[in-house]
Amino acid sequence: QQERQAFVQVIHVYDDSKDYLPVSCRSAALRSTVETVLTGSVSSKRYKLSWIPKAGLPAGEFVSAAIDDLNADYVCVGYYGLKGRKNNILEVSSNVHSVLSRGNSCSAIVMKDESPELLPRGRTCKFVVSISLNKSSTKAFLDALRLSRPGDEIHVVYVKSHMEEEDDYTTAVRAKYTKFFAGLQDADEQVFSKFRDRIMQFSLVTKQRRETTADTVVRYADEIDADFTVVGANAADRISRGKNPIGVVSMQICLNTTRNFIVSNWININPAIFESCVRRAQTPGSSRPVSRVEPFRPSLN
């Protein structure tokens, strides 16, 4: 909302044959509610409502197609769906499964909160970012920065074994994010300095006995009462190689956490055009160009 070039498309895929739905969940009522909220929040040029008849196709297919058409940076979907919690807590809604399985290039914000009162409105928002040296976890950190507001907390978490000393890999992870944090305070840094008013913390967290890496990240998020857990993925690349779109550890974090989570999709690009990772979305049809910024100097590798 605060970014004047930001644009949102709200999609609802409806089936008029479901006349058993509560009135508040029917197509016309939902459209009225959404339009009222958006009209009071943003200019009519900055949003679009797309009410689409299901026509026998899964709703997730329409959502995925809209992501491609809009070249969206983010997609926001609910975790549980209209039917509520699954019998198996590890099952996700069909829309979430479809969006993640397609390997779309945008990052997915998945809401597990079942009440709007739990959203971080009018208070500090806390992000927990699971990191390593790979590029997708770097993108997770960038997404946390971009989605945060002044005063928000971003906890960058690296997990080590309870028997592990700080080895070369751990030292490299610490050094990498020390450079990122330094960039936040460097007035000459044209990209990261705009985020200097965020509260940053690097946490080297030790696994407890019988804990997995995913368990440790989830435990840390619970301890600080995080609002969002952020993990990285290189979905398009993984799918092209016949793999699941999200790695095992990241997927276990998403499934096991009771908190909202963000799957940050990395696109393999030349670091020279790094600024595209923090670009602002352009309103479709607008002649106003997207602002360009200088690339961040430290290596992304």
Side-chain angles (χ1 to χ4, degrees):
Q1 179 178 337
Q2 295 177 353
E3 295 295 335
R4 294 192 178 276
Q5 293 186 54
F7 183 84
V8 60
Q9 180 174 357
V10 181
I11 298 174
H12 174 59
V13 181
Y14 63 89
D15 184 349
D16 282 335
S17 67
K18 295 184 177 181
D19 53 7
Y20 55 84
L21 292 174
V23 173
S24 60
C25 294
R26 295 184 185 179
S27 176
L30 287 173
R31 187 181 185 99
S32 176
T33 300
V34 171
E35 195 156 25
T36 299
V37 172
L38 288 172
T39 300
S41 303
V42 296
S43 164
S44 60
K45 296 180 180 179
R46 292 175 53 193
Y47 71 85
K48 176 183 178 182
L49 303 185
S50 298
W51 258 234
I52 307 169
K54 190 172 182 180
L57 295 175
E61 293 296 316
F62 293 99
V63 176
S64 297
I67 292 170
D68 294 338
D69 292 342
L70 188 61
N71 192 25
D73 296 297
Y74 299 98
V75 56
C76 185
V77 290
Y79 184 80
Y80 294 113
L82 183 62
K83 297 177 182 177
R85 296 174 181 269
K86 306 283 188 179
N87 292 329
N88 181 352
I89 195 172
L90 299 184
E91 292 183 12
V92 300
S93 72
S94 57
N95 286 350
V96 174
H97 185 271
S98 177
V99 168
L100 297 181
S101 297
R102 285 282 293 271
N104 287 300
S105 60
C106 76
S107 297
I109 303 170
V110 183
M111 306 301 295
K112 283 192 173 182
D113 285 347
E114 297 185 72
S115 169
E117 301 303 320
L118 297 174
L119 294 174
R121 296 183 294 183
R123 63 172 176 83
T124 297
C125 182
K126 298 179 182 179
F127 297 83
V128 168
V129 185
S130 175
I131 62 159
S132 63
L133 287 180
N134 65 47
K135 293 179 179 180
S136 59
S137 71
T138 304
K139 179 58 163 49
F141 172 65
L142 297 178
D143 275 343
L145 276 179
R146 185 177 175 185
L147 293 169
S148 64
R149 298 165 298 183
D152 286 350
E153 298 180 17
I154 300 176
H155 296 250
V156 177
V157 176
Y158 179 72
V159 177
K160 69 181 186 70
S161 167
H162 68 281
M163 298 293 291
E164 177 185 337
E165 299 294 333
E166 185 160 329
D167 57 13
D168 291 344
Y169 189 92
T170 305
T171 301
V173 171
R174 186 192 294 275
K176 173 178 178 176
Y177 284 89
T178 297
K179 290 180 180 179
F180 278 128
F181 292 176
L184 294 171
Q185 304 304 320
D186 183 357
D188 294 330
E189 173 47 57
Q190 298 184 41
V191 176
F192 273 11
S193 62
K194 67 179 70 175
F195 302 109
R196 67 177 64 186
D197 47 12
R198 276 60 166 176
I199 300 171
M200 312 296 301
Q201 179 170 327
F202 179 92
S203 296
L204 187 62
V205 184
T206 303
K207 289 181 186 178
Q208 295 180 356
R209 177 167 290 191
R210 296 187 178 89
E211 268 191 339
T212 65
T213 298
D215 291 336
T216 306
V217 174
V218 170
R219 170 171 58 84
Y220 183 92
D222 290 341
E223 288 174 353
I224 71 162
D225 196 20
D227 296 287
F228 293 93
T229 302
V230 193
V231 299
N234 193 343
D237 178 69
R238 291 180 61 87
I239 288 175
S240 71
R241 293 186 286 124
K243 296 186 175 183
N244 292 325
I246 305 176
V248 173
V249 173
S250 293
M251 193 62 195
Q252 284 301 313
I253 292 171
C254 297
L255 294 174
N256 293 344
T257 186
T258 59
R259 303 176 185 277
N260 305 322
F261 63 87
I262 301 169
V263 179
S264 297
N265 273 318
W266 172 262
I267 311 168
N268 284 323
I269 59 172
N270 189 310
I273 54 171
F274 166 82
E275 68 272 17
S276 65
C277 292
V278 289
R279 63 185 168 85
R280 298 299 179 241
Q282 183 178 10
T283 302
S286 170
S287 59
R288 184 177 178 180
V290 176
S291 59
R292 307 299 291 176
V293 292
E294 293 298 318
F296 183 54
R297 289 186 291 272
S299 170
L300 296 180
N301 294 321

